[in-house]
Amino acid sequence: MSDPSSDEGAAVEGRHQLQQLHAEGELAGRVLRGVPASQLALIEADLDGTRIERTSLQGSDLSRARLENAVLSSVDLREGVWHAALWNRVTATECDFTQIDLTAATLLRCELGPLRMGKAVLRGAAVRGTRFNAAELYGADLSGAVLTRCQFSGYGDGTASLSRVKLAGAALVEVDLARMNLYAADLRGAILVRCDLRGANLCEADLRGARLVSCALDGADLDGAVLS
């Protein structure tokens, strides 16, 4: 096996090399640029310090992968599987995460957006200190997830939305949702503690069984919302 330190930061040039480096546990610190890597099995991949640009990982299985201190730009992760993966201090811009599956994953201090994340699945995920900036989350499923000190912003131009998001049974603590579009959101049984919902669109939202503790609701639109 080669010395990983001698190749740190080296670019991965193709699909076969990517698979080989994964098998050898030498992907950390690499640069993936323009690599066609869809439908691969990269389970438990160590992607610490990786930079990924203009690369397709569509439909690939990265369950239990470790993605830390990574930068993603124009990356296609549509329908990718990241069950129980760890994302720590990940920056992602102009990416397509449509229908990505992050079930039971952990996201820590990430900067996500602008990007597409419609119908993403984060059931049971733990999301802490993460900022979603103009991230399209239409119909995303965060049922049972725990979100702590997260921020959703950059939605003023109407290009991104949290409409029809599923937060049933989720716990949100000190989450900034001010002025967000939560039209027809499913918040059944959710617990929201010290969340900022000022000016949010909660029209047609389902809030049955939800508990809002010390939340700011000034100017929130609850027209048609189901409260009990």
Side-chain angles (χ1 to χ4, degrees):
M1 183 181 296
S2 62
D3 179 5
S5 63
S6 65
D7 293 322
E8 187 175 356
V12 178
E13 298 178 349
R15 183 182 178 95
H16 176 72
Q17 183 189 15
L18 174 60
Q19 291 175 296
Q20 182 177 0
L21 290 169
H22 169 56
E24 295 173 353
E26 294 187 7
L27 276 176
R30 300 279 181 163
V31 177
L32 279 67
R33 184 178 294 118
V35 180
S38 60
Q39 305 296 328
L40 288 182
L42 300 170
I43 296 169
E44 296 184 342
D46 182 356
L47 297 164
D48 185 17
T50 303
R51 186 175 188 91
I52 309 176
E53 303 173 353
R54 303 188 304 279
T55 289
S56 174
L57 286 161
Q58 181 181 2
S60 290
D61 189 349
L62 288 109
S63 295
R64 301 185 301 283
R66 177 171 160 257
L67 186 66
E68 298 193 77
N69 305 299
V71 178
L72 281 60
S73 176
S74 300
V75 178
D76 184 354
L77 293 182
R78 287 176 296 163
E79 301 174 346
V81 178
W82 295 76
H83 290 176
L86 169 63
W87 288 26
N88 181 27
R89 298 188 183 278
V90 174
T91 299
T93 56
E94 304 298 340
C95 297
D96 193 345
F97 293 176
T98 302
Q99 292 185 303
I100 191 172
D101 190 344
L102 286 154
T103 297
T106 300
L107 280 67
L108 306 174
R109 297 176 292 279
C110 297
E111 298 277 345
L112 306 179
L115 51 75
R116 291 186 294 277
M117 212 167 172
K119 297 186 178 180
V121 178
L122 292 97
R123 287 192 295 265
V127 188
R128 296 196 291 274
T130 292
R131 295 203 305 178
F132 297 84
N133 181 32
E136 172 59 66
L137 282 156
Y138 172 87
D141 187 353
L142 291 93
S143 303
V146 178
L147 283 73
T148 308
R149 297 188 178 91
C150 295
Q151 181 179 10
F152 294 81
S153 61
Y155 294 80
D157 58 5
T159 60
S161 169
L162 284 86
S163 62
R164 301 189 185 279
V165 69
K166 299 177 180 66
L167 288 160
L172 286 72
V173 180
E174 297 180 10
V175 174
D176 186 352
L177 291 161
R179 297 174 298 281
M180 296 300 98
N181 179 13
L182 289 155
Y183 173 81
D186 183 356
L187 289 152
R188 289 174 298 168
I191 300 175
L192 287 75
V193 180
R194 296 187 297 278
C195 293
D196 190 348
L197 289 159
R198 290 175 295 177
N201 176 9
L202 287 161
C203 294
E204 307 295 334
D206 191 340
L207 292 154
R208 286 176 293 179
R211 293 176 56 199
L212 279 66
V213 181
S214 300
C215 293
L217 286 161
D218 295 349
D221 190 346
L222 290 158
D223 186 42
V226 181
L227 303 177
S228 61

